[in-house]
Amino acid sequence: MSRRWLTYGATVAGLVVAAIVAVLAFQALHVPLQSSTRSGPTPVAACAPAPCANVQGYTLWVSNVNVVGAVVSMQVTFRNSSDATHASPEDLQLVDSNHHVSGLITGPPGCATWARHEFSNGARFGPLNVCFRVSTATPPLILRWSPDLGVFCCQAEIMLTEL
């Protein structure tokens, strides 16, 4: 009987160690990609016109950035030449200079969202008018984009310095 409990205990301990190793491996693989800025260096995966980000052939362009009070509005356009299959509003967040993170908002006039959009290789989607609520409009603002390119992929940050 005690040998059986020892076997169960060893099995549970082994599973716990395997889970810890899996979590640490996932965290080590989750490395943000370079982002583009209007005045910064050209990233490895270049795109133009800035501000934009190119993640493995999946490109996001940002234009017409405006700040009215605590609401930041902008237009975003996607082009997919990658393994990604869709664009989703959950992939975008805005980080203000106080490190406050905001998802898309839809209350103010002109602020829209969209349903997950499926598109094929080389297709464009947008421009779309999107808005975020910030705690401060003091630059820099960072548009964080997490395209769905697999479990262990990436995140791009686009600096919005010229408002």
Side-chain angles (χ1 to χ4, degrees), residues 9-90:
T11 302
V12 169
L15 290 173
V16 168
V17 168
I20 291 170
V21 168
V23 167
L24 292 174
F26 176 77
Q27 289 176 339
L29 290 173
H30 189 74
V31 177
L33 295 179
Q34 287 190 21
S35 62
S36 167
T37 63
R38 287 185 188 258
S39 59
T42 303
V44 174
C47 59
C52 59
N54 181 339
V55 178
Q56 299 178 14
Y58 187 9
T59 307
L60 169 68
W61 288 276
V62 179
S63 60
N64 300 326
V65 179
N66 293 306
V67 178
V68 177
V71 175
V72 177
S73 64
M74 64 188 76
Q75 286 186 327
V76 294
T77 304
F78 300 88
R79 188 185 85 225
N80 182 17
S81 296
S82 72
D83 292 335
T85 60
H86 66 274
S88 177
E90 293 81 21

Side-chain angles (χ1 to χ4, degrees), residues 123-146:
R124 282 187 178 262
F125 178 55
L128 305 165
N129 295 319
V130 296
C131 300
F132 303 88
R133 188 168 313 281
V134 293
S135 65
T136 179
T138 304
L141 298 173
I142 300 169
L143 183 63
R144 185 177 290 158
W145 180 39
S146 302

Side-chain angles (χ1 to χ4, degrees), residues 80-101:
N80 182 17
S81 296
S82 72
D83 292 335
T85 60
H86 66 274
S88 177
E90 293 81 21
D91 296 344
L92 298 175
Q93 297 179 319
L94 191 68
V95 182
D96 64 27
S97 57
N98 286 340
H99 305 288
H100 173 261
V101 178

